[in-house]
Amino acid sequence: IQRLVESSPDMIVAVDSDGTIVYYNDGARTNLHYSGQEMIGEKVLRIYPSIEEARRVMTAMRESGQGGRISNFETAFKNKDGELIPVMISGSLINDDEGKEIGSIGFARDIRRMRQREQLATAGEIAVSLAHEINNPLESITNNLELLARAVEGHMKDAELATENEHLDAI
């Protein structure tokens, strides 16, 4: 199980009651670009964009009404380069046998690709809607042009008809 958790692509970070990182897996190393040596023993604030954001996550755990657990909570982490990474975090407070909080663990997933897919889907829906809005009037114009072409056929000489058909084709 240890190897499975260690090799998870999700970022798994555990902290003690002081907010000091005590566990940091491969997924966290890959996504946040900090080595385990750089992070074990450091404050978890290092991966949050602000102390307020770290407090928001901990407050959500403490006030969850689910025994200190949160699921699919949106927040952001900050990688070694200072880039903000939107994440979906599921986590839990860790309590000792007497019920005293001794730390927490979080499982976070980078949601940038999910957001990109959502944006592409939205753009696709807009494109379909626009195509529909444009094609309906164009279809009406095309149909009316065909009716007009048929109507003028019997009333003009060949030379005049050729000229008028060129005009209709241009439209």
Side-chain angles (χ1 to χ4, degrees):
I1 293 179
Q2 174 71 22
R3 250 185 286 152
L4 182 64
V5 171
E6 183 61 30
S7 64
S8 171
D10 289 342
M11 296 168 260
I12 304 174
V13 179
V15 298
D16 64 15
S17 60
D18 295 324
T20 301
I21 297 172
V22 295
Y23 183 79
Y24 185 82
N25 80 331
D26 283 342
R29 284 189 279 279
T30 300
N31 287 283
L32 300 176
H33 307 211
Y34 289 106
S35 70
Q37 295 84 0
E38 289 176 287
M39 295 307 288
I40 301 294
E42 292 293 321
K43 295 293 185 187
V44 74
L45 295 175
R46 194 163 180 187
I47 65 171
Y48 280 99
S50 67
I51 191 168
E52 292 81 14
E53 192 60 22
R55 285 185 181 143
R56 190 174 78 85
V57 173
M58 290 307 296
T59 299
M61 281 188 197
R62 291 185 181 112
E63 297 176 355
S64 71
Q66 298 176 3
R69 292 185 179 105
I70 56 172
S71 294
N72 300 321
F73 186 86
E74 284 196 43
T75 185
F77 285 166
K78 181 177 61 174
N79 71 14
K80 189 174 185 175
D81 303 321
E83 178 185 11
L84 290 182
I85 301 171
V87 297
M88 189 80 69
I89 188 168
S90 295
S92 179
L93 296 176
I94 302 169
N95 298 313
D96 65 13
D97 293 337
E98 289 82 45
K100 180 183 174 210
E101 185 181 313
I102 59 171
S104 65
I105 187 164
F107 301 82
R109 178 164 289 168
D110 182 340
I111 59 173
R112 288 179 290 191
R113 285 192 186 119
M114 182 179 75
R115 290 229 173 112
Q116 286 173 338
R117 283 192 298 270
E118 289 171 355
Q119 289 171 344
L120 285 173
T122 300
E125 290 171 12
I126 291 169
V128 166
S129 178
L130 281 173
H132 180 74
E133 293 298 320
I134 291 169
N135 283 336
N136 281 346
L138 289 177
E139 186 65 30
S140 177
I141 292 168
T142 302
N143 289 339
N144 283 318
L145 284 172
E146 287 177 15
L147 290 173
L148 182 60
R150 286 186 198 145
V152 295
E153 276 180 12
H155 301 290
M156 296 185 169
K157 296 180 183 172
D158 288 342
E160 293 173 323
L161 185 58
T163 303
E164 291 308 317
N165 278 334
E166 285 178 17
H167 292 146
L168 291 172
D169 287 343
I171 294 174

